[in-house]
Structures are given as structure tokens and as C-alpha cells.
Amino acid sequence: MGSEESNEPTFTWTARQLASCCVWSPERPDTTVLFAAEELARYLQRIVGRDIPVAARPELSQHSLAVAPFGSNFTMPPSASPLVGFTIEPGADAIMVRGDTSSALLRGVYRLLQELGCEWSVRGRLYETVPTAATETFCLRAYRSAPRFQSVVYCSDIITWHYTQPEPLRERIVEDEELADWMAKTGATSFFFIRHPFDTKSAIEELQKSFSTRGITVEVGGHVLPTPLDRQWFPRHPEYFPLTHGGRRSETGNLCVSHPRARALVAEQAGHFLTAAGYAGALHIWGADVFGGGWCHCTHCEKLSPQEQSIVVCNAIAERLENAGVRVPIYYLAYHDTIEPRLRIEPHPMVWCEFAPRERCYGHHIGDRECGVNEHYRAALESYIQLFRGRVRAFEYYGDAILFFGCLVPIPRVIASDLATYEALGVREVSFLQFGQFSRWAYAPNFTAFAAASQGIPIGPALERLWSQWDGKAQVVGSVFADLEETMRALVRYGDVRLPPKRRTQRSDLRRALSAHLPRFTAMADELDSHRSPSLHALALLVRYTQTVFEGVAHELDTGQAADAIFSHALSILQSVDRTYKGVWGEFDLAVIHDLYKAAHLVPGWS
Ligand SMILES: [Zn+2]
Ligand SMILES: [Zn+2]
């Protein structure tokens, strides 16, 4: 937990004092340190209403900055090493910020600005609060960060950038420049571009600068196992490819992991994913995104579980990269048919487990002993943590507009408890799947809770600030979101919200919950609409959309018949919502997702 050390003395700084300062940086700052210095100067300038210059000071170490008056003779206090993250050290004549890396220093700068009263918003820089009273007095205390997680990651499927279409691509990039900014301000460390077999690129290069300037690591890979083994090998070497249950080699799916040449080819190709995006800091090697699919059933592979087939490939890739002197984490995926830890093979020390409990219950937190569904996932997770000696990332779906089918699913308290459980279990990294502006609009409370909780900050005040960013109607929005949270926690307990649950008991539980909660939506939407505010009206439309989707689910449960007309009606409700709210995903992808679910109604299983 980040902790204020309460026995530390406080130092009072006035806005007038700050106005006489400049931001001191080391003599040859790297891009991120320079950006940190400039950001600090930019915001201080807005706070004190006077130009704050950046100047170099040779005695400052590589990852440190100071705020001090011109001509002051401040000395740099010795560092209480080893640092974890960053420190803020206020004194009478200087405020020092130090990080153990450039990006940690930048996080320290944003934290200092928060101490000075700045408030960030997931909705974008337009919604930030910067104190501007020239008479302001600030009480500063020493602060030492203690990150709860080694990595805090946001991710998105590359296809959602529509990179072959210039217009949506341009818009989505603008959306994510906003996300990159907010990520840095709230302590995130990495961004992961999720690739699918049909993708032709591993990352969106246009965003590279936004991330690298802020010291945010880019990660590549994803559902790529079917990709590295080039299909051109199939006619000459079908033995490289998986043998199906039916006894024939299949061109689709993963590979025959028992074939040394197939393994070597995949390892070599996977290395190219990294080099193709030369700046990538991690590689994710996941199998084909299908339940029970893609693995080999030859006499050798048959002895291996899908988990073991997957780890054999990850190990081969890790060994190859290690031999080439490349030390990046390789992520094995625990998901769908690999969620159970059926592994008798030791993972290579560079291989991490990415635990993605997509079909978990979001009505309860992952550590909730009352929830049978999550109990099962948590037990699997605990085994994985042992097997991977702690090298585990929790891959979470808190902003996944596909899983939630575009519905409002505010679950900030579930998220805060999830992160506490993940930390207590020894999970070292957490990630958050989202799809740009649409997710930052529809799942704003989830982003806010995830960002606060991952930094060890209480979520309550962060949510209060978020509610006030809807036209200043904090009370109205806060109370509607509280009602929604209660309702949605009763409904999102069984994976894809669009598909009726598979088990009979889940179906009857859901039907009961729908009877109790469906009547509540209209009052929430009407309340939002009664304030004649465009942003509250847009939110009201999303409430009505959510209601209609669940009416469709209820119809399918009751009749066993497809509720296509109801889902189409739901989609039409969002048509009039402005793109500044629903973003590229709401404009282009949501309709595609509706069609996909209509077609793939009985074949669940893509992330
Ligand atoms: Zn095989
Ligand atoms: Zn549950």
C-alpha cells in the first residue's frame, strides 16, 4: 500500500512560494524524465498562474527532480535505498521527487500534483481539476510509494483500432492518447495490444510515442499460437499441425507440440513478433481462442493436457529468446480449457501465467467464500501461483464491452476487493481489458476503482470525484450508479451477459434476479433524464439499452426463442448517442458484436 508516513514532519508551501520556483532536472534527462519535468512545470504553472521554467542541475541523479526557488542552494538528501517505486521528499526550501526508474519518477510527479490538489479523470483531461487559487497553502509530507503490483496493465484487441480504415483509426488513436495520459497519471505501467490470428500487425505504432514518452511498456502477442506456424507448411509438412480427434491433421488450431521442428519453427516465428515491434517488453503466447480446440491429439501429445501443450510451446520460446540474450516475460494463458492448473511440466523462469477468469462471477469478488463459481477460480489461481512461483498476472475483464455486451456494469467494490484478494494471494500483476472511449464512458467507475485500488488509494473519494464529473450532478449520478451496482451485481454472475447461462440452476437464479431487478431500470433512466443535461441523458440512454438487453435475455430464458428484435431495439437506443461518449467502439464495433452473438449464439468463447 502507498502510505503516508504520519510521523514525518509536514512542510507548508504557499502558492506564492511555488510561484518563485523552477523545476530542476538532471543534466541529461531521458525522454520520460524530461516529460516528467515539463508536466510538473505545466501543472505548477496552472496552479500558481505564473510561468515555471525547467532548468538543469548537475548534482541531481538520473531519476530525480526538484521544485526549488531560483538561486536556492538546496542539497539532495541521501536516498534511503533501495527505492521501491518513488519518493516525495518535501523540505523547507525544496521538494524532491525520486524514482527508481524514469516511469516511477513520472508517477511520483503525478502523485505530488495530487497532493497539491490536482484530480485526474478517466473521462479525459477536460474533466481534470487543477487548483488555481493564488492564496492556496499546501501541507506536504514525505511519501514513499509501495506499489501493490509490479505491473498495472491496460489492454485492448488490435482489431478494435480498425487499422485498415483511416477514419476510425484516427479517432481511436485520439481516444487512446487520452487513455495513455490517464494511465501514467494513475500509476499504470504497461499497455498490451492483443493480437488475433486474422491480424496483420502486432501494435498500433502511432501510439508508441504516447506510451514511450510516459515510460509505459508496450506488450505484444495474444491469441497468436495459430499464427507463428505458417500455413504454407501444411501441404508439405502436415505432421507439424495438430491431429484432430477425428484423426486428421488440421490446418487450423495450434501445432503438434511433440514435433521438435514444429516447436522450433513456432519459437523462431514468435521471436519475430517481438522484433517486429522492436520496443515490446513482453510477449503473450496464447492458443486458439476456442473452447477445447486447437490442441493436438497425436499419440505423443495425447499424453499432455492442453495446459502442458501450451507450456511446452511457451518454454521453447523462452529458451530460444534467452539464448538470443532477450529477457522478456512470456505469458502462458490460463483461460477456458486451460483455466485448471493441470500441469506436470515446470515452466521456464521467464514464463508467467496470465490468469483470465472470463466466466467468473462479477456479482461477488474473487475471494468471496459464499460464491461457488469464484471459489473454483480462486482455487485454480492458488495452484497456478504455486506452480509459477508467484509469476502470475490476473487478466481482468472490468472494461470488456463484449463480455458485458455494451451494458453498464459498475462493480467498483467488487474490483477493490478483487485487487485486495489478488495481492493477498501473491498475484504480482493485474490487467484490465477495455475498448477505448466506449469503455471509459460505460465502465468509468470500474477504471476509477481499479486505478485507485491498484495504487492502494481508497476508492470512495475517487468515485465521489467521478460522479461530480457528470455536469456537477454528483448526488444524482452517484445514487443512480449505486442502484445500478446493486442491480448489475445480481445479474452478471455467469459469463457473457448476452447468452443465457449454461447450467439450469444459474438459469433459474438469473430469471429470479431479472424479475426483481428489471423493473428498477426505468426509474434510474427517468431520474437521469429529469435533469436536462446532455451527458446525463446519454447515460440514461445507456441505462435503457442495458434494460433492453436484459429484457432480451429474459425473453430467451422464458421462450427458448431468439430475441433478435429486442436486441435490435436495444442497439437502436444507442444510435443517437454522441460519439464523444460512445467512441469508435460504440459507433462501429457494438453492431458487429450484436451480429456475432446472433450468429455465434451457441459457440461462446472469444475475448
Ligand atoms: Zn502432436
Ligand atoms: Zn457469485
Side-chain angles (χ1 to χ4, degrees), residues 241-243 249 255-259 296-302:
F241 290 80
L243 193 73
R249 296 283 169 178
L255 70 151
C256 174
V257 304
S258 303
H259 199 293
C296 184
H297 297 278
C298 78
T299 46
H300 300 290
C301 293
E302 192 82 296

Side-chain angles (χ1 to χ4, degrees), residues 28-350:
R28 270 177 292 279
D30 67 24
T31 321
T32 303
V33 173
L34 181 62
F35 179 75
E38 288 169 350
E39 279 284 86
L40 184 51
R42 256 192 298 273
Y43 278 97
L44 284 177
Q45 195 165 309
R46 286 174 63 186
I47 294 170
V48 302
R50 191 190 155 282
D51 210 29
I52 302 286
V54 175
R57 191 89 171 217
E59 68 269 30
L60 282 177
S61 62
Q62 200 192 349
H63 303 130
S64 58
L65 293 172
V67 177
F70 281 110
S72 82
N73 240 339
F74 70 89
T75 50
M76 193 157 149
S79 168
S81 58
L83 263 183
V84 183
F86 62 84
T87 57
I88 299 170
E89 298 150 72
D93 52 2
I95 305 165
M96 305 283 311
V97 187
R98 262 193 284 224
D100 51 5
T101 59
S102 311
S103 49
L105 172 67
L106 180 61
R107 290 198 287 278
V109 160
Y110 286 131
R111 180 69 212 196
L112 169 61
L113 288 167
Q114 274 179 282
E115 298 288 314
L116 294 173
C118 294
E119 289 166 1
W120 318 125
S121 173
V122 68
R123 302 197 59 206
R125 279 170 276 202
L126 269 178
Y127 295 86
E128 287 177 0
T129 314
V130 179
T132 50
T135 53
E136 195 99 40
T137 302
F138 309 98
C139 282
L140 295 173
R141 209 175 249 159
Y143 182 92
R144 167 176 280 263
S145 79
R148 299 178 85 178
F149 301 100
Q150 198 171 308
S151 299
V152 176
V153 188
Y154 290 84
C155 50
S156 205
D157 299 75
I158 309 179
I159 189 70
T160 62
W161 272 273
H162 302 266
Y163 50 82
T164 57
Q165 300 164 263
E167 193 226 358
L169 172 62
R170 207 167 30 241
E171 280 192 40
R172 178 69 198 267
I173 287 168
V174 172
E175 292 179 9
D176 289 307
E177 280 164 351
E178 217 45 71
L179 174 69
D181 179 80
W182 183 77
M183 281 174 60
K185 283 170 173 157
T186 54
T189 60
S190 322
F191 191 90
F192 166 27
F193 290 100
I194 303 170
R195 184 175 173 143
H196 287 258
F198 48 74
D199 279 313
T200 54
K201 51 165 67 189
S202 284
I204 302 297
E205 296 80 17
E206 292 89 336
L207 284 167
Q208 174 52 18
K209 188 160 173 268
S210 290
F211 289 133
S212 66
T213 304
R214 294 173 172 83
I216 292 170
T217 304
V218 167
E219 304 183 350
V220 298
H223 295 286
V224 296
L225 256 195
T227 323
L229 192 53
D230 201 313
R231 301 298 123 180
Q232 64 162 339
W233 291 101
F234 190 71
R236 276 180 298 146
H237 293 286
E239 71 277 15
Y240 294 175
F241 290 80
L243 193 73
T244 63
H245 267 308
R248 58 177 185 82
R249 296 283 169 178
S250 165
E251 206 175 344
T252 58
N254 302 318
L255 70 151
C256 174
V257 304
S258 303
H259 199 293
R261 179 82 184 121
R263 229 164 37 222
L265 277 172
V266 165
E268 185 184 332
Q269 281 298 317
H272 291 169
F273 280 124
L274 271 184
T275 38
Y279 40 78
L283 178 61
H284 300 254
I285 298 293
W286 305 347
D289 191 5
V290 284
F291 254 112
W295 301 107
C296 184
H297 297 278
C298 78
T299 46
H300 300 290
C301 293
E302 192 82 296
K303 299 187 193 104
L304 303 173
S305 64
Q307 291 85 331
E308 287 165 334
Q309 295 198 26
S310 178
I311 209 76
V312 163
V313 180
C314 290
N315 282 355
I317 294 168
E319 275 158 31
R320 192 188 159 87
L321 288 172
E322 191 182 34
N323 290 339
V326 181
R327 291 203 62 90
V328 299
I330 306 296
Y331 289 87
Y332 151 97
L333 180 64
Y335 170 72
H336 287 351
D337 56 351
T338 55
I339 200 78
E340 297 283 346
R342 292 174 50 217
L343 265 181
R344 293 158 299 178
I345 298 170
E346 177 81 11
H348 184 284
M350 268 163 62

Side-chain angles (χ1 to χ4, degrees), residues 361-364 370-374 493:
C361 162
Y362 281 102
H364 300 105
E370 301 296 301
C371 177
V373 177
N374 288 351
R493 298 185 171 186

Side-chain angles (χ1 to χ4, degrees), residues 431-578:
S431 75
F432 185 116
L433 179 63
Q434 51 82 42
F435 302 122
Q437 168 59 35
F438 183 90
S439 292
R440 285 193 287 112
W441 175 53
Y443 309 109
N446 299 358
F447 279 86
T448 302
F450 180 78
S454 65
Q455 297 173 90
I457 297 171
I459 64 165
L463 289 171
E464 287 302 321
R465 285 195 294 276
L466 177 68
W467 309 145
S468 71
Q469 288 155 10
W470 265 276
D471 254 359
K473 300 276 191 298
Q475 208 160 357
V476 179
V477 174
S479 115
V480 167
F481 268 114
D483 289 349
L484 266 173
E485 182 175 3
E486 192 189 324
T487 284
M488 296 315 291
R489 284 183 64 172
L491 303 180
V492 291
R493 298 185 171 186
Y494 56 92
D496 278 290
V497 305
R498 161 70 172 81
L499 303 173
K502 292 182 201 78
R503 278 188 281 146
R504 187 193 292 270
T505 50
Q506 283 182 317
R507 293 163 78 95
S508 54
D509 286 350
L510 176 62
R511 192 61 194 90
R512 254 197 313 279
L514 284 167
S515 299
H517 288 277
L518 269 177
R520 301 182 71 199
F521 285 104
T522 304
M524 298 179 210
D526 289 349
E527 168 64 13
L528 290 168
D529 266 336
S530 70
H531 295 272
R532 307 197 171 281
S533 140
S535 70
L536 267 63
H537 175 58
L539 198 57
L541 289 174
L542 194 53
V543 172
R544 296 189 202 281
Y545 167 87
T546 303
Q547 171 180 4
T548 310
V549 165
F550 279 97
E551 283 166 358
V553 173
H555 177 89
E556 295 198 344
L557 281 172
D558 291 344
T559 65
Q561 303 292 314
D564 292 351
I566 301 178
F567 292 118
S568 300
H569 173 57
L571 198 54
S572 72
I573 293 173
L574 288 190
Q575 235 139 40
S576 66
V577 172
D578 196 88

